[in-house]
Amino acid sequence: MDVLKFFQVVGKMAMSAPKDGEMLSGVLVRRNFNYHLMRADDLSAYTELSNSVLTQKESIYYNGTMSLLLHNLQQVSGDVVLEHIDSKDPSEPTHLIRMFNDSVRVNVYFAQHVAIIEWTSNPVNDMFADATLAAVLHAHTNPIPDKHLGKWDEKPEPAECIRKTLSEVCGDDAVVDVVGHSIHLEVDGKSANIDIDTMQITCSDQLLHHLISSVCQKMMYALTPVCSAAPSKQTI
């Protein structure tokens, strides 16, 4: 038998009335036989409970180059920011790397061959930290000479990557041009257009449409960081 229960909204959440269909999210507290819904930062004001912030640190041995480390970190996060720390104190890191909108930081002690991952613990940041750890371990166990690495802070142009890939897939007889915000393809008397902004394909030939769709999807997946917060473009 279902029992209908009521709760009272208190604190900052009660300062504005919710709109019809709006979802309320907060902490539901039961005191005696009464239920109160409030924001997490109001717990100390209405209850004897308090909030705590857990900051986690994980130390990893790393003896590779900074270029290799940044190259691997860029694969999982598209917003890697590097800061050089000019300090003679050996207890201070030589480099600070910020990732995932500053949710995860990597302090690199280059002389000591140590990298320390630091983040404020929550389900999302824990996932980002695991991805960062995997990238650091991959850089350490799979060393690549710096001369074979591109510049980590230069992002490839999707349109140019798709154009080159289509030229290789369709052969020398294909004509692939980038015109404004679209890519035009002509091969074997068939033509197709790709809108770069929406990744929408216009093509009357079903087989060619399927080929272009597969190429565009794989290329965008390859160019998009693994843990990017922004959704990747989908091919239609």
Side-chain angles (χ1 to χ4, degrees), residues 183-229:
I183 301 174
H184 182 70
L185 168 66
E186 289 187 3
V187 58
D188 296 334
K190 305 170 186 176
S191 62
N193 282 287
I194 307 170
D195 189 308
I196 300 174
D197 296 328
T198 62
M199 284 293 132
Q200 183 173 359
I201 302 170
T202 303
C203 180
S204 58
D205 186 81
Q206 185 175 1
L207 293 178
L208 182 59
H209 186 285
H210 178 74
L211 174 64
I212 297 174
S213 176
S214 177
V215 169
C216 291
Q217 282 186 348
K218 293 178 180 178
M219 184 57 61
M220 294 309 299
Y221 289 149
L223 296 177
T224 304
V226 177
C227 296
S228 176

mmCIF file of all heavy atoms in Angstrom, residues 183-229:
data_model
loop_
_atom_site.group_PDB
_atom_site.id
_atom_site.type_symbol
_atom_site.label_atom_id
_atom_site.label_comp_id
_atom_site.label_asym_id
_atom_site.label_seq_id
_atom_site.Cartn_x
_atom_site.Cartn_y
_atom_site.Cartn_z
ATOM 1 N N ILE A 183 32.229 20.301 -47.053
ATOM 2 C CA ILE A 183 33.182 19.527 -47.846
ATOM 3 C C ILE A 183 32.432 18.944 -49.036
ATOM 4 O O ILE A 183 31.391 18.294 -48.862
ATOM 5 C CB ILE A 183 33.812 18.396 -47.011
ATOM 6 C CG1 ILE A 183 34.537 18.972 -45.789
ATOM 7 C CG2 ILE A 183 34.774 17.576 -47.858
ATOM 8 C CD1 ILE A 183 35.069 17.901 -44.850
ATOM 9 N N HIS A 184 32.955 19.180 -50.236
ATOM 10 C CA HIS A 184 32.314 18.685 -51.460
ATOM 11 C C HIS A 184 33.158 17.554 -52.030
ATOM 12 O O HIS A 184 34.371 17.678 -52.178
ATOM 13 C CB HIS A 184 32.172 19.807 -52.485
ATOM 14 C CG HIS A 184 31.480 19.370 -53.742
ATOM 15 N ND1 HIS A 184 30.141 19.055 -53.780
ATOM 16 C CD2 HIS A 184 31.959 19.176 -55.002
ATOM 17 C CE1 HIS A 184 29.810 18.697 -55.003
ATOM 18 N NE2 HIS A 184 30.901 18.758 -55.770
ATOM 19 N N LEU A 185 32.496 16.431 -52.331
ATOM 20 C CA LEU A 185 33.170 15.242 -52.851
ATOM 21 C C LEU A 185 32.548 14.823 -54.172
ATOM 22 O O LEU A 185 31.321 14.758 -54.295
ATOM 23 C CB LEU A 185 33.066 14.092 -51.835
ATOM 24 C CG LEU A 185 33.456 12.691 -52.333
ATOM 25 C CD1 LEU A 185 34.944 12.630 -52.669
ATOM 26 C CD2 LEU A 185 33.089 11.630 -51.306
ATOM 27 N N GLU A 186 33.403 14.550 -55.157
ATOM 28 C CA GLU A 186 32.965 14.010 -56.443
ATOM 29 C C GLU A 186 33.837 12.813 -56.786
ATOM 30 O O GLU A 186 35.070 12.912 -56.799
ATOM 31 C CB GLU A 186 33.077 15.066 -57.547
ATOM 32 C CG GLU A 186 32.061 16.192 -57.438
ATOM 33 C CD GLU A 186 32.102 17.119 -58.646
ATOM 34 O OE1 GLU A 186 32.883 16.818 -59.576
ATOM 35 O OE2 GLU A 186 31.370 18.124 -58.656
ATOM 36 N N VAL A 187 33.190 11.666 -57.062
ATOM 37 C CA VAL A 187 33.914 10.452 -57.406
ATOM 38 C C VAL A 187 33.001 9.547 -58.232
ATOM 39 O O VAL A 187 31.828 9.360 -57.900
ATOM 40 C CB VAL A 187 34.404 9.719 -56.133
ATOM 41 C CG1 VAL A 187 33.253 9.357 -55.211
ATOM 42 C CG2 VAL A 187 35.221 8.491 -56.493
ATOM 43 N N ASP A 188 33.524 9.027 -59.337
ATOM 44 C CA ASP A 188 32.781 8.103 -60.212
ATOM 45 C C ASP A 188 31.433 8.673 -60.641
ATOM 46 O O ASP A 188 30.416 7.958 -60.684
ATOM 47 C CB ASP A 188 32.572 6.756 -59.512
ATOM 48 C CG ASP A 188 33.886 6.041 -59.229
ATOM 49 O OD1 ASP A 188 34.868 6.300 -59.961
ATOM 50 O OD2 ASP A 188 33.932 5.242 -58.278
ATOM 51 N N GLY A 189 31.387 9.954 -60.923
ATOM 52 C CA GLY A 189 30.154 10.582 -61.366
ATOM 53 C C GLY A 189 29.142 10.828 -60.267
ATOM 54 O O GLY A 189 28.012 11.236 -60.548
ATOM 55 N N LYS A 190 29.523 10.602 -59.029
ATOM 56 C CA LYS A 190 28.629 10.824 -57.894
ATOM 57 C C LYS A 190 29.182 11.968 -57.050
ATOM 58 O O LYS A 190 30.390 12.191 -57.004
ATOM 59 C CB LYS A 190 28.502 9.557 -57.048
ATOM 60 C CG LYS A 190 28.054 8.331 -57.845
ATOM 61 C CD LYS A 190 28.187 7.065 -57.033
ATOM 62 C CE LYS A 190 27.880 5.833 -57.881
ATOM 63 N NZ LYS A 190 28.087 4.571 -57.127
ATOM 64 N N SER A 191 28.292 12.655 -56.392
ATOM 65 C CA SER A 191 28.712 13.805 -55.583
ATOM 66 C C SER A 191 28.053 13.751 -54.210
ATOM 67 O O SER A 191 27.006 13.125 -54.026
ATOM 68 C CB SER A 191 28.352 15.123 -56.282
ATOM 69 O OG SER A 191 26.948 15.229 -56.443
ATOM 70 N N ALA A 192 28.691 14.423 -53.276
ATOM 71 C CA ALA A 192 28.174 14.477 -51.907
ATOM 72 C C ALA A 192 28.677 15.744 -51.248
ATOM 73 O O ALA A 192 29.730 16.281 -51.602
ATOM 74 C CB ALA A 192 28.608 13.251 -51.113
ATOM 75 N N ASN A 193 27.909 16.225 -50.286
ATOM 76 C CA ASN A 193 28.282 17.402 -49.508
ATOM 77 C C ASN A 193 28.190 17.071 -48.020
ATOM 78 O O ASN A 193 27.260 16.379 -47.587
ATOM 79 C CB ASN A 193 27.371 18.590 -49.828
ATOM 80 C CG ASN A 193 27.736 19.255 -51.143
ATOM 81 O OD1 ASN A 193 28.740 19.953 -51.248
ATOM 82 N ND2 ASN A 193 26.921 19.020 -52.159
ATOM 83 N N ILE A 194 29.146 17.578 -47.260
ATOM 84 C CA ILE A 194 29.180 17.355 -45.816
ATOM 85 C C ILE A 194 29.193 18.707 -45.124
ATOM 86 O O ILE A 194 30.087 19.529 -45.376
ATOM 87 C CB ILE A 194 30.426 16.556 -45.396
ATOM 88 C CG1 ILE A 194 30.541 15.269 -46.212
ATOM 89 C CG2 ILE A 194 30.391 16.245 -43.907
ATOM 90 C CD1 ILE A 194 31.869 14.558 -46.024
ATOM 91 N N ASP A 195 28.207 18.946 -44.286
ATOM 92 C CA ASP A 195 28.179 20.166 -43.487
ATOM 93 C C ASP A 195 29.101 19.973 -42.289
ATOM 94 O O ASP A 195 28.868 19.109 -41.444
ATOM 95 C CB ASP A 195 26.752 20.467 -43.023
ATOM 96 C CG ASP A 195 26.628 21.841 -42.386
ATOM 97 O OD1 ASP A 195 27.412 22.144 -41.467
ATOM 98 O OD2 ASP A 195 25.749 22.618 -42.806
ATOM 99 N N ILE A 196 30.161 20.769 -42.205
ATOM 100 C CA ILE A 196 31.166 20.582 -41.157
ATOM 101 C C ILE A 196 30.592 20.881 -39.779
ATOM 102 O O ILE A 196 30.940 20.237 -38.788
ATOM 103 C CB ILE A 196 32.397 21.465 -41.440
ATOM 104 C CG1 ILE A 196 33.010 21.095 -42.795
ATOM 105 C CG2 ILE A 196 33.435 21.321 -40.331
ATOM 106 C CD1 ILE A 196 34.139 22.003 -43.218
ATOM 107 N N ASP A 197 29.700 21.857 -39.685
ATOM 108 C CA ASP A 197 29.163 22.253 -38.380
ATOM 109 C C ASP A 197 28.237 21.195 -37.794
ATOM 110 O O ASP A 197 28.270 20.923 -36.587
ATOM 111 C CB ASP A 197 28.423 23.586 -38.497
ATOM 112 C CG ASP A 197 29.356 24.728 -38.887
ATOM 113 O OD1 ASP A 197 30.543 24.675 -38.492
ATOM 114 O OD2 ASP A 197 28.902 25.656 -39.577
ATOM 115 N N THR A 198 27.392 20.598 -38.621
ATOM 116 C CA THR A 198 26.412 19.622 -38.132
ATOM 117 C C THR A 198 26.766 18.186 -38.499
ATOM 118 O O THR A 198 26.115 17.258 -38.027
ATOM 119 C CB THR A 198 25.020 19.943 -38.699
ATOM 120 O OG1 THR A 198 25.056 19.837 -40.141
ATOM 121 C CG2 THR A 198 24.596 21.351 -38.312
ATOM 122 N N MET A 199 27.766 18.000 -39.358
ATOM 123 C CA MET A 199 28.151 16.684 -39.860
ATOM 124 C C MET A 199 26.997 16.001 -40.602
ATOM 125 O O MET A 199 26.887 14.773 -40.618
ATOM 126 C CB MET A 199 28.643 15.782 -38.718
ATOM 127 C CG MET A 199 30.027 16.131 -38.248
ATOM 128 S SD MET A 199 31.278 15.798 -39.491
ATOM 129 C CE MET A 199 32.192 17.324 -39.469
ATOM 130 N N GLN A 200 26.132 16.800 -41.218
ATOM 131 C CA GLN A 200 25.036 16.247 -42.007
ATOM 132 C C GLN A 200 25.518 16.014 -43.433
ATOM 133 O O GLN A 200 26.151 16.880 -44.041
ATOM 134 C CB GLN A 200 23.832 17.181 -42.006
ATOM 135 C CG GLN A 200 22.623 16.615 -42.749
ATOM 136 C CD GLN A 200 21.392 17.477 -42.585
ATOM 137 O OE1 GLN A 200 21.442 18.495 -41.902
ATOM 138 N NE2 GLN A 200 20.299 17.075 -43.195
ATOM 139 N N ILE A 201 25.200 14.842 -43.966
ATOM 140 C CA ILE A 201 25.668 14.427 -45.288
ATOM 141 C C ILE A 201 24.507 14.486 -46.272
ATOM 142 O O ILE A 201 23.419 13.968 -46.002
ATOM 143 C CB ILE A 201 26.244 13.002 -45.245
ATOM 144 C CG1 ILE A 201 27.396 12.933 -44.241
ATOM 145 C CG2 ILE A 201 26.712 12.562 -46.626
ATOM 146 C CD1 ILE A 201 27.865 11.526 -43.962
ATOM 147 N N THR A 202 24.757 15.106 -47.413
ATOM 148 C CA THR A 202 23.774 15.156 -48.499
ATOM 149 C C THR A 202 24.329 14.374 -49.676
ATOM 150 O O THR A 202 25.320 14.779 -50.297
ATOM 151 C CB THR A 202 23.484 16.601 -48.922
ATOM 152 O OG1 THR A 202 23.043 17.350 -47.781
ATOM 153 C CG2 THR A 202 22.406 16.645 -49.993
ATOM 154 N N CYS A 203 23.706 13.233 -49.972
ATOM 155 C CA CYS A 203 24.194 12.369 -51.055
ATOM 156 C C CYS A 203 23.050 11.478 -51.520
ATOM 157 O O CYS A 203 22.333 10.895 -50.697
ATOM 158 C CB CYS A 203 25.378 11.525 -50.574
ATOM 159 S SG CYS A 203 26.054 10.427 -51.838
ATOM 160 N N SER A 204 22.888 11.367 -52.845
ATOM 161 C CA SER A 204 21.804 10.556 -53.400
ATOM 162 C C SER A 204 22.172 9.079 -53.490
ATOM 163 O O SER A 204 21.293 8.217 -53.549
ATOM 164 C CB SER A 204 21.417 11.075 -54.795
ATOM 165 O OG SER A 204 22.543 11.049 -55.660
ATOM 166 N N ASP A 205 23.473 8.772 -53.484
ATOM 167 C CA ASP A 205 23.913 7.384 -53.586
ATOM 168 C C ASP A 205 24.035 6.786 -52.187
ATOM 169 O O ASP A 205 24.770 7.303 -51.338
ATOM 170 C CB ASP A 205 25.260 7.304 -54.310
ATOM 171 C CG ASP A 205 25.682 5.869 -54.566
ATOM 172 O OD1 ASP A 205 25.200 5.268 -55.541
ATOM 173 O OD2 ASP A 205 26.490 5.350 -53.767
ATOM 174 N N GLN A 206 23.334 5.685 -51.949
ATOM 175 C CA GLN A 206 23.277 5.108 -50.609
ATOM 176 C C GLN A 206 24.626 4.541 -50.168
ATOM 177 O O GLN A 206 25.037 4.711 -49.018
ATOM 178 C CB GLN A 206 22.211 4.013 -50.557
ATOM 179 C CG GLN A 206 21.993 3.432 -49.161
ATOM 180 C CD GLN A 206 20.853 2.425 -49.124
ATOM 181 O OE1 GLN A 206 20.240 2.142 -50.148
ATOM 182 N NE2 GLN A 206 20.578 1.889 -47.947
ATOM 183 N N LEU A 207 25.339 3.871 -51.076
ATOM 184 C CA LEU A 207 26.627 3.281 -50.715
ATOM 185 C C LEU A 207 27.661 4.358 -50.394
ATOM 186 O O LEU A 207 28.421 4.238 -49.427
ATOM 187 C CB LEU A 207 27.130 2.382 -51.852
ATOM 188 C CG LEU A 207 26.320 1.107 -52.115
ATOM 189 C CD1 LEU A 207 26.901 0.341 -53.303
ATOM 190 C CD2 LEU A 207 26.295 0.219 -50.874
ATOM 191 N N LEU A 208 27.685 5.410 -51.201
ATOM 192 C CA LEU A 208 28.623 6.499 -50.944
ATOM 193 C C LEU A 208 28.267 7.216 -49.647
ATOM 194 O O LEU A 208 29.154 7.606 -48.875
ATOM 195 C CB LEU A 208 28.615 7.485 -52.116
ATOM 196 C CG LEU A 208 29.591 8.664 -52.009
ATOM 197 C CD1 LEU A 208 31.024 8.169 -51.884
ATOM 198 C CD2 LEU A 208 29.440 9.592 -53.220
ATOM 199 N N HIS A 209 26.979 7.376 -49.393
ATOM 200 C CA HIS A 209 26.530 8.007 -48.146
ATOM 201 C C HIS A 209 26.996 7.193 -46.940
ATOM 202 O O HIS A 209 27.476 7.751 -45.938
ATOM 203 C CB HIS A 209 25.009 8.128 -48.150
ATOM 204 C CG HIS A 209 24.454 8.888 -46.979
ATOM 205 N ND1 HIS A 209 24.389 8.348 -45.702
ATOM 206 C CD2 HIS A 209 23.945 10.145 -46.885
ATOM 207 C CE1 HIS A 209 23.868 9.228 -44.879
ATOM 208 N NE2 HIS A 209 23.587 10.333 -45.565
ATOM 209 N N HIS A 210 26.876 5.874 -47.033
ATOM 210 C CA HIS A 210 27.299 5.006 -45.930
ATOM 211 C C HIS A 210 28.812 5.093 -45.714
ATOM 212 O O HIS A 210 29.288 5.132 -44.567
ATOM 213 C CB HIS A 210 26.891 3.567 -46.219
ATOM 214 C CG HIS A 210 27.326 2.592 -45.158
ATOM 215 N ND1 HIS A 210 26.726 2.507 -43.923
ATOM 216 C CD2 HIS A 210 28.334 1.671 -45.158
ATOM 217 C CE1 HIS A 210 27.330 1.577 -43.200
ATOM 218 N NE2 HIS A 210 28.306 1.056 -43.924
ATOM 219 N N LEU A 211 29.571 5.142 -46.808
ATOM 220 C CA LEU A 211 31.028 5.240 -46.708
ATOM 221 C C LEU A 211 31.446 6.549 -46.038
ATOM 222 O O LEU A 211 32.274 6.555 -45.113
ATOM 223 C CB LEU A 211 31.654 5.139 -48.097
ATOM 224 C CG LEU A 211 33.169 5.372 -48.174
ATOM 225 C CD1 LEU A 211 33.911 4.294 -47.400
ATOM 226 C CD2 LEU A 211 33.633 5.415 -49.627
ATOM 227 N N ILE A 212 30.862 7.648 -46.477
ATOM 228 C CA ILE A 212 31.211 8.953 -45.904
ATOM 229 C C ILE A 212 30.796 9.022 -44.439
ATOM 230 O O ILE A 212 31.526 9.549 -43.595
ATOM 231 C CB ILE A 212 30.538 10.078 -46.714
ATOM 232 C CG1 ILE A 212 31.053 10.083 -48.148
ATOM 233 C CG2 ILE A 212 30.798 11.431 -46.062
ATOM 234 C CD1 ILE A 212 30.336 11.068 -49.047
ATOM 235 N N SER A 213 29.622 8.475 -44.122
ATOM 236 C CA SER A 213 29.151 8.482 -42.739
ATOM 237 C C SER A 213 30.110 7.726 -41.832
ATOM 238 O O SER A 213 30.436 8.182 -40.728
ATOM 239 C CB SER A 213 27.752 7.864 -42.663
ATOM 240 O OG SER A 213 27.316 7.772 -41.326
ATOM 241 N N SER A 214 30.590 6.575 -42.294
ATOM 242 C CA SER A 214 31.524 5.782 -41.499
ATOM 243 C C SER A 214 32.842 6.522 -41.299
ATOM 244 O O SER A 214 33.396 6.548 -40.191
ATOM 245 C CB SER A 214 31.768 4.437 -42.184
ATOM 246 O OG SER A 214 32.715 3.671 -41.467
ATOM 247 N N VAL A 215 33.344 7.153 -42.357
ATOM 248 C CA VAL A 215 34.605 7.892 -42.267
ATOM 249 C C VAL A 215 34.478 9.065 -41.298
ATOM 250 O O VAL A 215 35.346 9.288 -40.445
ATOM 251 C CB VAL A 215 35.035 8.389 -43.660
ATOM 252 C CG1 VAL A 215 36.193 9.387 -43.548
ATOM 253 C CG2 VAL A 215 35.446 7.218 -44.538
ATOM 254 N N CYS A 216 33.383 9.811 -41.396
ATOM 255 C CA CYS A 216 33.200 10.988 -40.542
ATOM 256 C C CYS A 216 33.049 10.597 -39.072
ATOM 257 O O CYS A 216 33.616 11.243 -38.183
ATOM 258 C CB CYS A 216 31.987 11.784 -41.003
ATOM 259 S SG CYS A 216 32.200 12.609 -42.595
ATOM 260 N N GLN A 217 32.294 9.545 -38.812
ATOM 261 C CA GLN A 217 32.105 9.107 -37.429
ATOM 262 C C GLN A 217 33.424 8.677 -36.804
ATOM 263 O O GLN A 217 33.766 9.087 -35.689
ATOM 264 C CB GLN A 217 31.099 7.964 -37.371
ATOM 265 C CG GLN A 217 29.652 8.402 -37.488
ATOM 266 C CD GLN A 217 28.695 7.245 -37.269
ATOM 267 O OE1 GLN A 217 29.103 6.083 -37.254
ATOM 268 N NE2 GLN A 217 27.427 7.546 -37.118
ATOM 269 N N LYS A 218 34.180 7.863 -37.524
ATOM 270 C CA LYS A 218 35.451 7.384 -36.979
ATOM 271 C C LYS A 218 36.445 8.525 -36.807
ATOM 272 O O LYS A 218 37.218 8.546 -35.839
ATOM 273 C CB LYS A 218 36.025 6.305 -37.890
ATOM 274 C CG LYS A 218 35.194 5.023 -37.911
ATOM 275 C CD LYS A 218 35.762 3.994 -38.869
ATOM 276 C CE LYS A 218 34.913 2.727 -38.869
ATOM 277 N NZ LYS A 218 35.420 1.714 -39.833
ATOM 278 N N MET A 219 36.427 9.474 -37.720
ATOM 279 C CA MET A 219 37.349 10.598 -37.614
ATOM 280 C C MET A 219 37.009 11.481 -36.419
ATOM 281 O O MET A 219 37.895 11.914 -35.671
ATOM 282 C CB MET A 219 37.315 11.421 -38.906
ATOM 283 C CG MET A 219 38.314 12.575 -38.929
ATOM 284 S SD MET A 219 40.019 12.022 -38.675
ATOM 285 C CE MET A 219 40.231 10.943 -40.100
ATOM 286 N N MET A 220 35.711 11.751 -36.198
ATOM 287 C CA MET A 220 35.317 12.584 -35.070
ATOM 288 C C MET A 220 35.597 11.883 -33.745
ATOM 289 O O MET A 220 35.995 12.515 -32.768
ATOM 290 C CB MET A 220 33.840 12.952 -35.171
ATOM 291 C CG MET A 220 33.501 13.844 -36.364
ATOM 292 S SD MET A 220 34.547 15.307 -36.509
ATOM 293 C CE MET A 220 34.206 16.145 -34.970
ATOM 294 N N TYR A 221 35.401 10.562 -33.702
ATOM 295 C CA TYR A 221 35.730 9.820 -32.491
ATOM 296 C C TYR A 221 37.227 9.864 -32.216
ATOM 297 O O TYR A 221 37.666 9.907 -31.063
ATOM 298 C CB TYR A 221 35.270 8.366 -32.612
ATOM 299 C CG TYR A 221 33.770 8.184 -32.553
ATOM 300 C CD1 TYR A 221 33.141 7.148 -33.232
ATOM 301 C CD2 TYR A 221 32.978 9.053 -31.815
ATOM 302 C CE1 TYR A 221 31.762 6.994 -33.184
ATOM 303 C CE2 TYR A 221 31.606 8.902 -31.761
ATOM 304 C CZ TYR A 221 30.998 7.869 -32.445
ATOM 305 O OH TYR A 221 29.636 7.714 -32.390
ATOM 306 N N ALA A 222 38.031 9.843 -33.279
ATOM 307 C CA ALA A 222 39.483 9.881 -33.114
ATOM 308 C C ALA A 222 39.961 11.253 -32.653
ATOM 309 O O ALA A 222 40.929 11.360 -31.897
ATOM 310 C CB ALA A 222 40.172 9.505 -34.427
ATOM 311 N N LEU A 223 39.287 12.312 -33.091
ATOM 312 C CA LEU A 223 39.716 13.667 -32.758
ATOM 313 C C LEU A 223 39.164 14.152 -31.430
ATOM 314 O O LEU A 223 39.719 15.065 -30.824
ATOM 315 C CB LEU A 223 39.282 14.639 -33.866
ATOM 316 C CG LEU A 223 39.902 14.417 -35.246
ATOM 317 C CD1 LEU A 223 39.323 15.400 -36.248
ATOM 318 C CD2 LEU A 223 41.418 14.545 -35.191
ATOM 319 N N THR A 224 38.065 13.552 -30.969
ATOM 320 C CA THR A 224 37.437 14.001 -29.732
ATOM 321 C C THR A 224 38.102 13.336 -28.536
ATOM 322 O O THR A 224 38.273 12.120 -28.525
ATOM 323 C CB THR A 224 35.937 13.661 -29.727
ATOM 324 O OG1 THR A 224 35.319 14.239 -30.876
ATOM 325 C CG2 THR A 224 35.269 14.205 -28.473
ATOM 326 N N PRO A 225 38.502 14.103 -27.511
ATOM 327 C CA PRO A 225 39.091 13.495 -26.312
ATOM 328 C C PRO A 225 38.154 12.478 -25.685
ATOM 329 O O PRO A 225 36.934 12.597 -25.760
ATOM 330 C CB PRO A 225 39.314 14.698 -25.382
ATOM 331 C CG PRO A 225 39.418 15.868 -26.301
ATOM 332 C CD PRO A 225 38.498 15.568 -27.452
ATOM 333 N N VAL A 226 38.745 11.470 -25.042
ATOM 334 C CA VAL A 226 37.957 10.362 -24.495
ATOM 335 C C VAL A 226 36.944 10.844 -23.467
ATOM 336 O O VAL A 226 35.785 10.442 -23.463
ATOM 337 C CB VAL A 226 38.899 9.311 -23.870
ATOM 338 C CG1 VAL A 226 38.092 8.191 -23.223
ATOM 339 C CG2 VAL A 226 39.829 8.745 -24.928
ATOM 340 N N CYS A 227 37.366 11.728 -22.577
ATOM 341 C CA CYS A 227 36.502 12.186 -21.486
ATOM 342 C C CYS A 227 36.049 13.620 -21.681
ATOM 343 O O CYS A 227 35.858 14.356 -20.718
ATOM 344 C CB CYS A 227 37.223 12.061 -20.150
ATOM 345 S SG CYS A 227 37.615 10.368 -19.706
ATOM 346 N N SER A 228 35.903 14.029 -22.908
ATOM 347 C CA SER A 228 35.462 15.395 -23.153
ATOM 348 C C SER A 228 34.056 15.590 -22.632
ATOM 349 O O SER A 228 33.168 14.765 -22.831
ATOM 350 C CB SER A 228 35.494 15.703 -24.649
ATOM 351 O OG SER A 228 34.973 16.985 -24.905
ATOM 352 N N ALA A 229 33.826 16.723 -21.954
ATOM 353 C CA ALA A 229 32.497 17.004 -21.414
ATOM 354 C C ALA A 229 31.511 17.351 -22.503
ATOM 355 O O ALA A 229 30.317 17.131 -22.386
ATOM 356 C CB ALA A 229 32.567 18.149 -20.398
#
